[in-house]
Amino acid sequence: MQETDWLEPWTSTTGARDSYLRTFAEQLARETSPGHALHGVPVQLIGRGNGDDALFELLDGTGRVALVHLVWQGQQTPPWPATAIFASLEAWRTEHMIPESREWLE
């Protein structure tokens, strides 16, 4: 996605410090436990939403992205942290970001 494609309240993490990106990936790994869809899946933070919402690219070769509401605590019991997986960045944009932005701006 290009920078101009991000709609409020979402922002790209392009250009963010590696330590910032690593913090989110490590927190996600800390919160997921066996049975969670993202447990053990390598990820890269690509966007931040409102509050604790984070968008991760799944680095498993599928092209999928995951919207995660982090709880900023230790390991959780599935289905926590709340997660929605989308087939692609464009699918997330169409199915989630655009509708959420409309609500956000109303």
XYZ file of all heavy atoms in Angstrom:
844
model
N 0.835 -1.195 0.000
C 0.000 0.000 0.000
C 0.864 1.236 0.000
O 1.877 1.279 0.678
C -0.840 0.031 1.272
C -2.134 -0.659 1.181
S -2.904 -0.680 2.775
C -4.334 0.238 2.421
N 0.454 2.213 -0.709
C 1.156 3.477 -0.684
C 0.681 4.277 0.515
O -0.414 4.066 1.035
C 0.872 4.264 -1.958
C 1.348 3.554 -3.208
C 0.943 4.306 -4.458
O 0.237 5.306 -4.393
N 1.399 3.829 -5.579
N 1.520 5.200 0.955
C 1.170 6.024 2.119
C -0.186 6.706 1.952
O -0.936 6.808 2.899
C 2.253 7.080 2.372
C 3.573 6.491 2.823
C 3.462 5.705 4.110
O 2.820 6.186 5.060
O 4.019 4.612 4.166
N -0.497 7.162 0.767
C -1.751 7.885 0.554
C -2.968 6.977 0.660
O -4.081 7.455 0.755
C -1.765 8.580 -0.820
O -1.542 7.590 -1.828
C -0.711 9.658 -0.892
N -2.755 5.668 0.643
C -3.861 4.735 0.728
C -4.328 4.467 2.154
O -5.329 3.808 2.349
C -3.496 3.405 0.070
C -3.346 3.526 -1.432
O -3.955 4.429 -2.027
O -2.606 2.720 -1.996
N -3.573 4.906 3.160
C -3.947 4.660 4.554
C -4.982 5.696 4.983
O -4.813 6.892 4.764
C -2.727 4.727 5.461
C -1.783 3.593 5.207
C -0.808 3.554 4.254
C -1.747 2.339 5.875
N -0.166 2.339 4.300
C -0.724 1.577 5.296
C -2.483 1.789 6.917
C -0.411 0.290 5.716
C -2.167 0.510 7.340
C -1.152 -0.234 6.746
N -6.066 5.228 5.574
C -7.146 6.110 6.002
C -7.221 6.136 7.514
O -6.959 5.136 8.180
C -8.477 5.604 5.434
C -8.550 5.460 3.911
C -9.869 4.791 3.509
C -8.388 6.805 3.225
N -7.642 7.284 8.066
C -7.794 7.412 9.524
C -8.729 6.345 10.054
O -9.715 6.034 9.393
C -8.369 8.785 9.875
C -7.385 9.910 9.732
C -7.987 11.204 10.232
O -8.330 11.275 11.435
O -8.126 12.114 9.416
N -8.429 5.754 11.168
C -7.377 6.063 12.114
C -6.077 5.289 11.882
O -5.202 5.270 12.733
C -7.997 5.650 13.449
C -8.806 4.439 13.096
C -9.366 4.756 11.720
N -5.931 4.667 10.709
C -4.764 3.836 10.425
C -3.589 4.638 9.896
O -3.780 5.597 9.147
C -5.138 2.734 9.429
C -5.976 1.705 10.093
C -7.340 1.689 10.168
C -5.511 0.607 10.852
N -7.756 0.618 10.921
C -6.641 -0.066 11.349
C -4.252 0.110 11.166
C -6.545 -1.210 12.133
C -4.162 -1.029 11.938
C -5.296 -1.673 12.415
N -2.393 4.216 10.298
C -1.161 4.813 9.792
C -0.175 3.701 9.467
O -0.158 2.655 10.116
C -0.502 5.769 10.811
O -0.229 5.051 12.013
C -1.382 6.958 11.101
N 0.624 3.950 8.475
C 1.665 3.008 8.077
C 2.822 3.063 9.068
O 3.094 4.109 9.659
C 2.178 3.382 6.684
O 3.318 2.620 6.349
N 3.517 1.955 9.213
C 4.722 1.941 10.043
C 5.985 1.980 9.176
O 7.094 1.797 9.681
C 4.764 0.710 10.961
O 4.697 -0.473 10.161
C 3.611 0.748 11.955
N 5.816 2.252 7.891
C 6.971 2.399 7.014
C 7.872 3.504 7.561
O 7.392 4.581 7.901
C 6.534 2.750 5.579
O 5.720 1.687 5.085
C 7.724 2.971 4.666
N 9.144 3.204 7.684
C 10.089 4.182 8.208
C 10.239 4.156 9.718
O 11.081 4.870 10.263
N 9.437 3.344 10.397
C 9.549 3.251 11.859
C 10.855 2.551 12.226
O 11.386 1.746 11.455
C 8.366 2.482 12.437
N 11.343 2.841 13.407
C 12.569 2.211 13.883
C 12.378 0.702 14.013
O 11.302 0.234 14.375
C 12.966 2.764 15.240
C 13.385 4.199 15.177
C 13.797 4.673 16.534
N 14.228 6.057 16.420
C 14.971 6.658 17.303
N 15.343 6.034 18.398
N 15.326 7.904 17.126
N 13.449 -0.021 13.746
C 13.407 -1.474 13.869
C 12.998 -1.897 15.279
O 12.267 -2.872 15.448
C 14.760 -2.097 13.514
C 15.031 -2.063 12.022
O 14.086 -1.895 11.228
O 16.215 -2.205 11.646
N 13.455 -1.155 16.282
C 13.130 -1.507 17.663
C 11.623 -1.381 17.917
O 11.048 -2.179 18.655
C 13.907 -0.641 18.657
O 13.609 0.726 18.467
N 10.989 -0.403 17.299
C 9.542 -0.221 17.416
C 8.812 -1.410 16.789
O 7.916 -2.001 17.399
C 9.148 1.085 16.725
C 7.674 1.403 16.726
C 7.066 1.961 17.839
C 6.896 1.185 15.591
C 5.707 2.277 17.837
C 5.549 1.499 15.579
C 4.961 2.045 16.705
O 3.623 2.353 16.695
N 9.205 -1.771 15.578
C 8.586 -2.890 14.885
C 8.797 -4.192 15.649
O 7.880 -5.004 15.786
C 9.148 -3.011 13.471
C 8.990 -1.786 12.568
C 9.696 -2.014 11.243
C 7.534 -1.437 12.362
N 10.001 -4.374 16.161
C 10.342 -5.580 16.910
C 9.517 -5.690 18.192
O 9.074 -6.765 18.576
C 11.841 -5.593 17.209
C 12.375 -6.914 17.664
C 13.908 -6.963 17.727
N 14.555 -5.769 18.234
C 15.206 -4.865 17.486
N 15.308 -5.032 16.182
N 15.774 -3.809 18.036
N 9.275 -4.555 18.858
C 8.482 -4.553 20.087
C 7.101 -5.145 19.851
O 6.615 -5.960 20.639
C 8.349 -3.117 20.647
O 9.649 -2.663 21.029
C 7.408 -3.053 21.832
N 6.460 -4.780 18.763
C 5.124 -5.280 18.464
C 5.146 -6.759 18.097
O 4.287 -7.525 18.543
C 4.460 -4.446 17.370
C 3.893 -3.162 17.891
C 4.701 -2.053 18.066
C 2.565 -3.075 18.243
C 4.194 -0.873 18.575
C 2.039 -1.900 18.762
C 2.855 -0.795 18.927
N 6.124 -7.168 17.292
C 6.223 -8.588 16.924
C 6.494 -9.438 18.162
O 5.903 -10.514 18.327
C 7.318 -8.788 15.881
N 7.353 -8.960 19.048
C 7.652 -9.694 20.279
C 6.446 -9.752 21.207
O 6.193 -10.766 21.848
C 8.857 -9.068 20.993
C 10.155 -9.301 20.255
C 11.326 -8.504 20.821
O 11.135 -7.665 21.739
O 12.449 -8.708 20.317
N 5.691 -8.655 21.281
C 4.494 -8.646 22.125
C 3.449 -9.633 21.598
O 2.833 -10.359 22.367
C 3.901 -7.246 22.233
C 2.705 -7.163 23.167
C 3.048 -7.543 24.602
O 4.154 -7.291 25.076
N 2.116 -8.164 25.299
N 3.275 -9.659 20.295
C 2.333 -10.617 19.720
C 2.769 -12.047 20.044
O 1.952 -12.870 20.451
C 2.218 -10.423 18.210
C 1.289 -11.405 17.501
C -0.139 -11.270 18.005
C 1.354 -11.197 16.000
N 4.041 -12.337 19.901
C 4.550 -13.676 20.214
C 4.327 -14.008 21.693
O 3.985 -15.144 22.037
C 6.030 -13.774 19.865
N 4.489 -13.025 22.556
C 4.293 -13.209 23.995
C 2.829 -13.515 24.324
O 2.538 -14.318 25.201
C 4.751 -11.931 24.720
C 4.922 -12.048 26.203
C 5.535 -10.769 26.790
N 6.864 -10.508 26.235
C 7.203 -9.423 25.534
N 6.334 -8.467 25.302
N 8.424 -9.286 25.051
N 1.912 -12.864 23.624
C 0.488 -13.006 23.926
C -0.147 -14.258 23.336
O -1.122 -14.764 23.889
C -0.280 -11.773 23.427
C 0.035 -10.526 24.214
C -0.806 -9.329 23.813
O -1.896 -9.507 23.233
O -0.375 -8.192 24.101
N 0.364 -14.761 22.225
C -0.263 -15.929 21.612
C 0.226 -17.214 22.272
O 1.353 -17.302 22.736
C 0.007 -15.996 20.093
O 1.411 -16.044 19.859
C -0.611 -14.806 19.377
N -0.658 -18.176 22.310
C -0.333 -19.478 22.889
C -0.760 -20.555 21.902
O -1.466 -20.272 20.931
C -1.032 -19.642 24.239
O -2.430 -19.575 24.092
N -0.330 -21.808 22.131
C -0.749 -22.879 21.223
C -2.270 -22.875 21.053
O -3.012 -22.690 22.003
C -0.267 -24.149 21.945
C 0.935 -23.686 22.719
C 0.551 -22.298 23.200
N -2.688 -23.025 19.813
C -4.109 -22.981 19.489
C -4.536 -21.659 18.879
O -5.585 -21.577 18.250
N -3.718 -20.615 19.052
C -4.025 -19.321 18.433
C -3.531 -19.357 16.991
O -2.472 -19.910 16.705
C -3.346 -18.177 19.200
C -3.810 -16.829 18.770
N -3.352 -16.220 17.622
C -4.718 -15.982 19.307
C -3.942 -15.044 17.492
N -4.783 -14.877 18.501
N -4.292 -18.761 16.079
C -3.965 -18.790 14.651
C -2.585 -18.211 14.343
O -1.969 -18.588 13.343
C -5.028 -18.028 13.860
N -2.068 -17.314 15.183
C -0.778 -16.681 14.911
C 0.361 -17.224 15.764
O 1.485 -16.754 15.640
C -0.883 -15.163 15.096
C -1.849 -14.457 14.150
C -1.848 -12.963 14.414
C -1.512 -14.754 12.695
N 0.075 -18.210 16.587
C 1.134 -18.760 17.441
C 2.255 -19.342 16.581
O 2.036 -20.217 15.752
C 0.575 -19.834 18.370
C 1.603 -20.398 19.286
N 2.120 -19.683 20.340
C 2.230 -21.591 19.311
C 3.008 -20.416 20.969
N 3.100 -21.587 20.358
N 3.453 -18.808 16.755
C 4.618 -19.294 16.025
C 4.761 -18.781 14.608
O 5.712 -19.150 13.918
N 3.851 -17.938 14.155
C 3.921 -17.401 12.789
C 4.795 -16.144 12.800
O 4.544 -15.225 13.581
C 2.516 -17.051 12.253
C 2.602 -16.436 10.861
C 1.624 -18.281 12.242
N 5.819 -16.071 11.949
C 6.631 -14.853 11.889
C 5.805 -13.707 11.291
O 5.045 -13.911 10.339
C 7.805 -15.232 10.993
C 7.328 -16.403 10.201
C 6.277 -17.093 11.024
N 5.954 -12.526 11.875
C 5.163 -11.364 11.452
C 6.026 -10.116 11.369
O 7.112 -10.057 11.932
C 3.994 -11.091 12.432
C 3.020 -12.252 12.473
C 4.509 -10.747 13.820
N 5.487 -9.111 10.689
C 6.098 -7.785 10.602
C 4.985 -6.763 10.761
O 3.984 -6.823 10.036
C 6.779 -7.596 9.244
C 7.288 -6.198 8.970
C 8.575 -5.901 9.704
O 9.437 -6.762 9.804
N 8.707 -4.707 10.227
N 5.125 -5.850 11.716
C 4.141 -4.785 11.889
C 4.164 -3.871 10.674
O 5.228 -3.392 10.277
C 4.463 -3.970 13.150
C 3.515 -2.822 13.461
C 2.154 -3.352 13.894
C 4.105 -1.930 14.540
N 2.981 -3.633 10.075
C 2.922 -2.747 8.913
C 1.975 -1.570 9.113
O 2.000 -0.626 8.329
C 2.555 -3.499 7.619
C 1.206 -4.197 7.736
C 3.669 -4.476 7.241
C 0.705 -4.810 6.436
N 1.145 -1.608 10.155
C 0.215 -0.506 10.383
C -0.287 -0.475 11.803
O -0.302 -1.492 12.492
N -0.663 0.723 12.227
C -1.253 0.923 13.553
C -2.591 1.592 13.383
O -2.753 2.503 12.583
C -0.374 1.837 14.418
C 0.936 1.246 14.891
C 0.791 0.107 15.883
N -0.222 0.297 16.911
C -0.067 0.985 18.032
N 1.067 1.573 18.312
N -1.061 1.089 18.891
N -3.545 1.129 14.178
C -4.878 1.709 14.158
C -5.142 2.450 15.447
O -4.222 2.920 16.117
N -6.396 2.524 15.815
C -6.800 3.209 17.028
C -6.463 2.339 18.238
O -6.699 1.136 18.242
C -8.300 3.487 16.972
C -8.761 4.341 18.125
O -8.065 5.246 18.559
N -9.944 4.048 18.628
N -5.919 2.937 19.275
C -5.633 2.207 20.510
C -4.615 1.111 20.319
O -3.522 1.346 19.841
N -5.016 -0.114 20.649
C -4.106 -1.252 20.619
C -4.232 -2.094 19.358
O -3.759 -3.228 19.323
C -4.340 -2.126 21.860
C -3.994 -1.389 23.140
O -2.996 -0.653 23.144
O -4.722 -1.541 24.130
N -4.862 -1.563 18.326
C -5.000 -2.301 17.076
C -3.718 -2.211 16.258
O -3.158 -1.128 16.075
C -6.167 -1.766 16.244
C -7.516 -2.113 16.847
O -7.569 -2.996 17.723
O -8.514 -1.494 16.437
N -3.274 -3.371 15.783
C -2.054 -3.447 14.994
C -2.307 -4.329 13.781
O -3.053 -5.306 13.847
C -0.922 -4.026 15.837
N -1.691 -3.975 12.665
C -1.801 -4.773 11.449
C -0.442 -5.384 11.170
O 0.564 -4.675 11.061
C -2.256 -3.908 10.273
C -2.515 -4.682 8.981
C -3.737 -5.596 9.137
C -2.715 -3.729 7.814
N -0.428 -6.711 11.058
C 0.803 -7.453 10.814
C 0.746 -8.133 9.461
O -0.280 -8.715 9.090
C 0.997 -8.543 11.876
C 1.242 -8.026 13.248
C 0.191 -7.858 14.133
C 2.528 -7.718 13.679
C 0.412 -7.397 15.423
C 2.760 -7.253 14.957
C 1.703 -7.089 15.834
N 1.864 -8.094 8.757
C 2.045 -8.931 7.573
C 2.520 -10.284 8.079
O 3.434 -10.354 8.911
C 3.096 -8.320 6.660
C 3.437 -9.178 5.470
C 4.587 -8.607 4.640
O 5.175 -7.581 5.026
O 4.893 -9.213 3.608
N 1.895 -11.362 7.605
C 2.326 -12.701 7.981
C 3.460 -13.099 7.049
O 3.302 -13.096 5.830
C 1.177 -13.696 7.892
C -0.089 -13.338 8.662
C -1.068 -14.494 8.651
C 0.219 -12.921 10.085
N 4.607 -13.399 7.611
C 5.796 -13.698 6.821
C 5.903 -15.201 6.543
O 6.972 -15.799 6.646
C 7.044 -13.186 7.551
C 7.035 -11.698 7.885
C 8.276 -11.317 8.667
C 6.890 -10.857 6.627
N 4.776 -15.777 6.152
C 4.723 -17.212 5.882
C 4.552 -17.508 4.393
O 4.279 -18.640 4.000
C 3.609 -17.871 6.691
C 2.221 -17.320 6.362
O 2.108 -16.406 5.510
O 1.244 -17.799 6.968
N 4.695 -16.463 3.556
C 4.610 -16.644 2.111
C 3.207 -16.657 1.543
O 3.029 -16.847 0.343
N 2.187 -16.440 2.385
C 0.796 -16.506 1.916
C 0.263 -15.170 1.417
O -0.771 -15.137 0.759
C -0.143 -16.992 3.034
O -0.112 -16.035 4.108
C 0.264 -18.374 3.543
N 0.915 -14.065 1.779
C 0.417 -12.742 1.413
C -0.668 -12.232 2.342
O -1.244 -11.172 2.118
N -0.965 -13.004 3.392
C -2.031 -12.613 4.319
C -1.557 -11.534 5.299
O -0.365 -11.363 5.534
C -2.514 -13.819 5.124
C -3.109 -14.914 4.284
C -3.508 -16.113 5.103
N -2.340 -16.649 5.818
C -2.403 -17.454 6.873
N -3.572 -17.837 7.350
N -1.306 -17.896 7.454
N -2.540 -10.836 5.865
C -2.288 -9.870 6.934
C -3.239 -10.182 8.082
O -4.299 -10.788 7.875
C -2.457 -8.406 6.475
C -1.464 -8.050 5.366
C -3.876 -8.115 6.038
N -2.840 -9.768 9.279
C -3.664 -10.025 10.457
C -3.882 -8.739 11.231
O -2.928 -8.026 11.552
C -3.004 -11.066 11.351
N -5.127 -8.461 11.525
C -5.519 -7.362 12.390
C -5.596 -7.937 13.800
O -6.320 -8.899 14.039
C -6.875 -6.811 11.961
C -7.571 -5.850 12.905
C -6.729 -4.607 13.142
C -8.936 -5.490 12.357
N -4.823 -7.371 14.717
C -4.743 -7.900 16.084
C -4.996 -6.778 17.077
O -4.450 -5.680 16.940
C -3.355 -8.526 16.353
C -3.279 -9.078 17.767
C -3.043 -9.611 15.337
N -5.812 -7.069 18.067
C -6.007 -6.151 19.188
C -5.158 -6.681 20.340
O -5.553 -7.616 21.031
C -7.475 -6.056 19.599
C -7.703 -5.072 20.702
N -7.845 -3.728 20.464
C -7.752 -5.231 22.039
C -8.000 -3.107 21.619
N -7.938 -3.999 22.595
N -3.961 -6.108 20.494
C -3.056 -6.542 21.549
C -3.605 -6.144 22.918
O -4.276 -5.118 23.051
C -1.672 -5.917 21.342
C -0.951 -6.370 20.073
C 0.272 -5.497 19.819
C -0.553 -7.834 20.165
N -3.318 -6.957 23.922
C -3.787 -6.658 25.277
C -2.654 -6.160 26.173
O -2.890 -5.711 27.280
C -4.498 -7.868 25.932
C -5.752 -8.215 25.163
C -3.582 -9.059 26.039
N -1.420 -6.244 25.699
C -0.232 -5.755 26.419
C -0.079 -6.404 27.792
O 0.200 -5.763 28.782
C -0.215 -4.226 26.482
C -0.060 -3.668 25.101
C -1.058 -3.184 24.311
C 1.135 -3.624 24.317
N -0.564 -2.835 23.082
C 0.786 -3.078 23.065
C 2.457 -3.981 24.543
C 1.724 -2.894 22.041
C 3.380 -3.783 23.533
C 3.013 -3.248 22.304
N -0.311 -7.710 27.795
C -0.077 -8.544 28.970
C 0.655 -9.783 28.494
O 1.058 -9.865 27.346
C -1.395 -8.898 29.647
C -2.128 -7.694 30.192
C -3.456 -8.077 30.817
O -3.752 -9.238 31.036
N -4.272 -7.079 31.095
N 0.787 -10.764 29.354
C 1.464 -11.998 28.995
C 0.603 -12.892 28.133
O -0.387 -12.460 27.538
N 0.976 -14.165 28.100
C 0.297 -15.137 27.260
C -1.197 -15.192 27.565
O -1.608 -15.202 28.715
C 0.922 -16.516 27.479
C 0.479 -17.538 26.463
C 1.234 -18.826 26.611
O 1.142 -19.472 27.643
N 1.981 -19.198 25.579
N -1.982 -15.212 26.500
C -3.435 -15.230 26.584
C -3.966 -16.604 26.182
O -3.270 -17.388 25.543
C -4.033 -14.163 25.664
C -3.550 -12.756 25.952
C -4.000 -12.273 27.313
O -5.184 -12.213 27.592
N -3.051 -11.937 28.172
N -5.204 -16.859 26.526
C -5.884 -18.079 26.111
C -6.648 -17.779 24.830
O -7.375 -16.783 24.772
C -6.864 -18.548 27.210
O -6.132 -18.748 28.410
C -7.570 -19.818 26.808
N -6.470 -18.603 23.774
C -7.212 -18.359 22.540
C -8.706 -18.225 22.833
O -9.202 -18.920 23.711
C -6.924 -19.609 21.699
C -5.601 -20.089 22.194
C -5.622 -19.778 23.678
N -9.413 -17.323 22.215
C -9.050 -16.644 20.981
C -8.292 -15.334 21.185
O -8.127 -14.572 20.230
C -10.400 -16.369 20.329
C -11.297 -16.085 21.500
C -10.815 -17.035 22.586
N -7.849 -15.040 22.388
C -7.125 -13.793 22.639
C -5.650 -13.943 22.308
O -5.098 -15.014 22.522
C -7.325 -13.351 24.088
C -8.780 -13.262 24.423
C -9.481 -14.117 25.213
C -9.724 -12.315 23.937
N -10.805 -13.763 25.250
C -10.984 -12.649 24.466
C -9.630 -11.216 23.091
C -12.126 -11.931 24.178
C -10.779 -10.495 22.813
C -12.000 -10.852 23.358
N -4.993 -12.931 21.813
C -5.560 -11.630 21.477
C -6.489 -11.735 20.260
O -6.261 -12.546 19.367
C -4.337 -10.773 21.158
C -3.302 -11.741 20.695
C -3.557 -13.000 21.478
N -7.541 -10.922 20.296
C -8.524 -10.927 19.212
C -7.810 -10.683 17.880
O -6.995 -9.770 17.765
C -9.578 -9.855 19.446
N -8.122 -11.524 16.899
C -7.398 -11.506 15.629
C -8.354 -11.763 14.477
O -9.223 -12.618 14.570
C -6.314 -12.612 15.630
O -5.429 -12.385 16.720
C -5.530 -12.640 14.338
N -8.162 -11.019 13.398
C -8.875 -11.282 12.149
C -7.816 -11.374 11.054
O -6.988 -10.470 10.910
C -9.862 -10.163 11.836
N -7.844 -12.477 10.318
C -6.862 -12.684 9.262
C -7.532 -12.434 7.919
O -8.646 -12.908 7.663
C -6.270 -14.102 9.335
C -5.526 -14.274 10.665
C -5.340 -14.364 8.149
C -4.962 -15.642 10.910
N -6.844 -11.674 7.067
C -7.342 -11.313 5.749
C -6.431 -11.911 4.683
O -5.226 -12.013 4.879
C -7.403 -9.787 5.599
C -8.360 -9.151 6.562
C -7.951 -8.830 7.850
C -9.668 -8.902 6.195
C -8.833 -8.254 8.759
C -10.560 -8.332 7.102
C -10.144 -8.001 8.377
N -7.000 -12.281 3.544
C -6.266 -12.946 2.473
C -5.149 -12.086 1.895
O -4.167 -12.606 1.370
C -7.217 -13.370 1.371
N -5.304 -10.759 1.996
C -4.311 -9.845 1.430
C -4.475 -8.469 2.071
O -5.474 -8.205 2.742
C -4.502 -9.719 -0.084
O -5.750 -9.089 -0.360
N -3.515 -7.625 1.810
C -3.597 -6.248 2.290
C -4.789 -5.543 1.663
O -5.510 -4.803 2.332
C -2.292 -5.517 1.968
C -2.077 -4.163 2.603
C -2.141 -4.238 4.125
C -0.730 -3.601 2.167
N -5.023 -5.806 0.390
C -6.159 -5.187 -0.295
C -7.485 -5.673 0.289
O -8.427 -4.893 0.443
C -6.108 -5.458 -1.801
C -7.169 -4.724 -2.586
C -7.153 -3.203 -2.424
O -6.083 -2.600 -2.227
O -8.247 -2.597 -2.480
N -7.560 -6.948 0.651
C -8.787 -7.468 1.277
C -9.020 -6.777 2.612
O -10.157 -6.388 2.919
C -8.688 -8.982 1.469
N -7.971 -6.599 3.417
C -8.102 -5.892 4.693
C -8.565 -4.461 4.447
O -9.454 -3.962 5.134
C -6.769 -5.895 5.454
C -6.774 -4.951 6.601
C -7.331 -5.160 7.828
C -6.233 -3.629 6.632
N -7.166 -4.042 8.617
C -6.493 -3.088 7.895
C -5.552 -2.842 5.692
C -6.091 -1.804 8.259
C -5.152 -1.565 6.049
C -5.423 -1.067 7.327
N -7.969 -3.810 3.463
C -8.322 -2.421 3.151
C -9.809 -2.308 2.814
O -10.511 -1.457 3.351
C -7.470 -1.928 1.986
C -7.690 -0.486 1.628
C -6.744 -0.079 0.482
N -6.768 1.343 0.302
C -7.734 1.993 -0.360
N -8.735 1.340 -0.886
N -7.692 3.301 -0.476
N -10.288 -3.191 1.949
C -11.686 -3.159 1.497
C -12.660 -3.583 2.593
O -13.683 -2.940 2.805
C -11.854 -4.073 0.271
O -10.957 -3.639 -0.748
C -13.271 -4.043 -0.251
N -12.337 -4.674 3.274
C -13.258 -5.255 4.253
C -13.221 -4.589 5.621
O -14.202 -4.641 6.361
C -12.957 -6.752 4.419
C -13.172 -7.545 3.155
C -12.607 -8.955 3.250
O -12.519 -9.510 4.369
O -12.238 -9.509 2.195
N -12.084 -3.972 5.959
C -11.982 -3.412 7.309
C -11.635 -1.922 7.342
O -12.347 -1.135 7.954
C -10.954 -4.180 8.148
C -10.874 -3.650 9.532
N -11.778 -3.992 10.518
C -10.030 -2.733 10.097
C -11.491 -3.330 11.618
N -10.446 -2.565 11.391
N -10.533 -1.542 6.710
C -10.057 -0.166 6.869
C -11.057 0.861 6.330
O -11.339 1.855 7.000
C -8.699 0.051 6.217
C -8.155 1.452 6.496
S -6.561 1.812 5.739
C -6.992 1.834 4.015
N -11.572 0.662 5.149
C -12.492 1.647 4.568
C -13.754 1.797 5.419
O -14.120 2.923 5.780
C -12.797 1.324 3.089
C -11.537 1.552 2.258
C -13.969 2.147 2.576
C -11.638 1.082 0.806
N -14.436 0.701 5.797
C -15.616 0.862 6.656
C -15.277 1.492 8.013
O -16.042 2.334 8.513
C -16.152 -0.557 6.829
C -15.594 -1.341 5.697
C -14.287 -0.703 5.363
N -14.166 1.084 8.611
C -13.791 1.645 9.904
C -13.506 3.143 9.787
O -13.905 3.931 10.645
C -12.568 0.940 10.475
C -12.178 1.499 11.833
C -10.931 0.857 12.393
O -9.947 0.656 11.639
O -10.928 0.573 13.601
N -12.861 3.547 8.712
C -12.555 4.960 8.515
C -13.827 5.792 8.359
O -13.928 6.888 8.900
C -11.655 5.139 7.281
O -11.313 6.502 7.127
N -14.801 5.249 7.660
C -16.076 5.967 7.512
C -16.708 6.216 8.867
O -17.178 7.311 9.168
C -17.034 5.175 6.619
C -16.682 5.229 5.175
C -17.726 4.525 4.316
N -17.263 4.440 2.946
C -17.285 3.334 2.211
N -17.782 2.225 2.718
N -16.844 3.344 0.984
N -16.734 5.167 9.712
C -17.283 5.312 11.066
C -16.459 6.292 11.896
O -17.012 7.099 12.640
C -17.316 3.958 11.774
C -18.340 3.007 11.228
C -18.280 1.653 11.913
O -17.768 1.566 13.053
O -18.741 0.680 11.298
N -15.165 6.221 11.773
C -14.235 7.068 12.542
C -14.487 8.550 12.230
O -14.440 9.401 13.115
C -12.815 6.675 12.196
C -11.760 7.474 12.863
C -11.080 8.536 12.339
C -11.223 7.286 14.174
N -10.176 9.017 13.242
C -10.237 8.264 14.374
C -11.496 6.386 15.205
C -9.526 8.376 15.556
C -10.769 6.485 16.373
C -9.812 7.473 16.539
N -14.724 8.842 10.971
C -14.866 10.238 10.546
C -16.276 10.789 10.733
O -16.493 11.985 10.575
C -14.440 10.378 9.074
C -12.952 10.067 8.812
C -12.664 10.063 7.328
C -12.054 11.039 9.548
N -17.243 9.943 11.066
C -18.618 10.431 11.265
C -18.770 11.127 12.599
O -18.150 10.932 13.548
C -19.602 9.261 11.182
C -19.769 8.762 9.772
C -20.737 7.596 9.690
O -21.196 7.060 10.727
O -21.046 7.210 8.563
